[in-house]
Amino acid sequence: MANDNKLDELDWIHIREELDGDYKTETIYEKAVRKTRENPLVPIGTFATTLALTYGLYNFYHGRRQMQQYMMRARVGAQAFTIICIVAGFILMPKKQNKQNNK
C-alpha cells in the first residue's frame, strides 16, 4: 500500500515525459527562421529602425542636425511600421492556423 502511494505521487513525472515527447525543441536560429517565415515584414521593419537610428546617431555625432532630425523621424516611422506588422500578424495568424488545421 505504501508502495502504491509513492507511484501515485510520481505520476506527474510520467505525464511530463509523455508531453515532452510530443513537442519538438528548436534552437534560437530555428525559431528566428520560423518566425521570419510567419511574418517577414517584422524583421524588415526592425532592420529599417536600426538603420535609421544608427545613421541618425552618426549624423548627430558629426553635427548634421537637419539630417539627424530626418533620421529620427524615419526611425519613428519604421517603428510604427514594425508594430503595425506585429499586430497584423497576431490578427492574421489564427486565420492561417485554422486553414492549415482544416486541410
Side-chain angles (χ1 to χ4, degrees):
M1 187 165 161
N3 211 7
D4 288 337
N5 286 338
K6 287 182 182 178
L7 290 177
D8 289 339
E9 291 174 7
L10 300 177
D11 273 347
W12 64 272
I13 294 174
H14 297 294
I15 293 170
R16 176 64 186 227
E17 288 172 354
E18 291 172 9
L19 288 175
D20 285 344
D22 292 341
Y23 295 102
K24 179 187 176 258
T25 57
E26 58 187 358
T27 64
I28 293 173
Y29 177 75
E30 291 171 339
K31 185 175 182 178
V33 169
R34 179 177 55 84
K35 293 287 189 178
T36 300
R37 286 185 184 147
E38 289 174 1
N39 197 348
L41 295 177
V42 172
I44 292 170
T46 304
F47 180 72
T49 302
T50 305
L51 189 65
L53 177 63
T54 303
Y55 192 57
L57 290 174
Y58 173 80
N59 284 307
F60 176 73
Y61 179 73
H62 289 287
R64 300 180 194 133
R65 290 184 179 184
Q66 189 69 30
M67 183 54 81
Q68 185 261 340
Q69 282 295 317
Y70 287 143
M71 287 297 104
M72 290 303 114
R73 291 177 184 150
R75 176 192 56 86
V76 170
Q79 283 178 320
F81 173 77
T82 305
I83 291 171
I84 289 169
C85 290
I86 291 170
V87 171
F90 281 131
I91 291 170
L92 297 176
M93 190 175 303
K95 293 178 184 177
K96 285 182 184 179
Q97 289 178 351
N98 288 338
K99 286 181 183 178
Q100 289 175 356
N101 290 339
N102 290 335
K103 288 182 181 180

Coordinates of all heavy atoms in Angstrom, one line a residue, residues 1-11:
M1 N 0.8 -1.2 0.0 CA 0.0 0.0 0.0 C 0.9 1.3 0.0 O 0.6 2.2 -0.7 CB -0.9 0.0 1.2 CG -1.9 1.1 1.2 SD -3.2 0.7 2.4 CE -3.8 2.3 2.6
A2 N 1.9 1.3 0.8 CA 2.8 2.4 0.8 C 3.5 2.6 -0.5 O 3.8 3.7 -1.0 CB 3.8 2.3 1.9
N3 N 3.8 1.4 -1.2 CA 4.4 1.5 -2.5 C 3.5 2.1 -3.5 O 4.0 2.8 -4.4 CB 4.8 0.0 -2.9 CG 6.1 0.0 -3.7 OD1 6.7 1.0 -3.9 ND2 6.4 -1.2 -4.2
D4 N 2.2 1.8 -3.4 CA 1.2 2.4 -4.4 C 1.2 3.9 -4.2 O 1.0 4.6 -5.2 CB -0.2 1.8 -4.2 CG -0.2 0.4 -4.6 OD1 0.6 0.0 -5.5 OD2 -1.1 -0.4 -4.2
N5 N 1.2 4.4 -3.0 CA 1.2 5.9 -2.8 C 2.4 6.6 -3.4 O 2.3 7.7 -4.0 CB 1.2 6.2 -1.3 CG -0.2 5.9 -0.7 OD1 -1.2 5.9 -1.4 ND2 -0.2 5.7 0.6
K6 N 3.6 5.9 -3.3 CA 4.8 6.5 -4.0 C 4.6 6.6 -5.5 O 5.0 7.5 -6.1 CB 6.0 5.7 -3.6 CG 6.5 5.9 -2.2 CD 7.7 5.1 -1.9 CE 8.1 5.3 -0.4 NZ 9.3 4.5 -0.1
L7 N 4.0 5.5 -6.1 CA 3.8 5.5 -7.5 C 2.8 6.6 -7.9 O 3.0 7.3 -8.9 CB 3.3 4.2 -8.0 CG 4.3 3.0 -7.9 CD1 3.7 1.7 -8.3 CD2 5.5 3.4 -8.8
D8 N 1.8 6.8 -7.1 CA 0.8 7.9 -7.4 C 1.4 9.2 -7.3 O 1.1 10.1 -8.1 CB -0.4 7.8 -6.4 CG -1.3 6.6 -6.7 OD1 -1.2 6.0 -7.8 OD2 -2.0 6.2 -5.8
E9 N 2.3 9.4 -6.4 CA 3.0 10.7 -6.3 C 3.9 11.0 -7.4 O 4.1 12.2 -7.8 CB 3.8 10.8 -5.0 CG 3.0 10.8 -3.7 CD 3.8 10.6 -2.5 OE1 5.0 10.7 -2.6 OE2 3.2 10.5 -1.4
L10 N 4.4 10.0 -8.1 CA 5.3 10.2 -9.2 C 4.7 10.1 -10.6 O 5.3 10.1 -11.6 CB 6.5 9.2 -9.1 CG 7.3 9.3 -7.8 CD1 8.4 8.2 -7.8 CD2 8.0 10.7 -7.7
D11 N 3.3 10.1 -10.6 CA 2.6 10.0 -11.9 C 2.9 11.2 -12.7 O 2.9 11.2 -14.0 CB 1.1 9.9 -11.7 CG 0.7 8.4 -11.5 OD1 1.5 7.6 -11.8 OD2 -0.5 8.2 -11.1

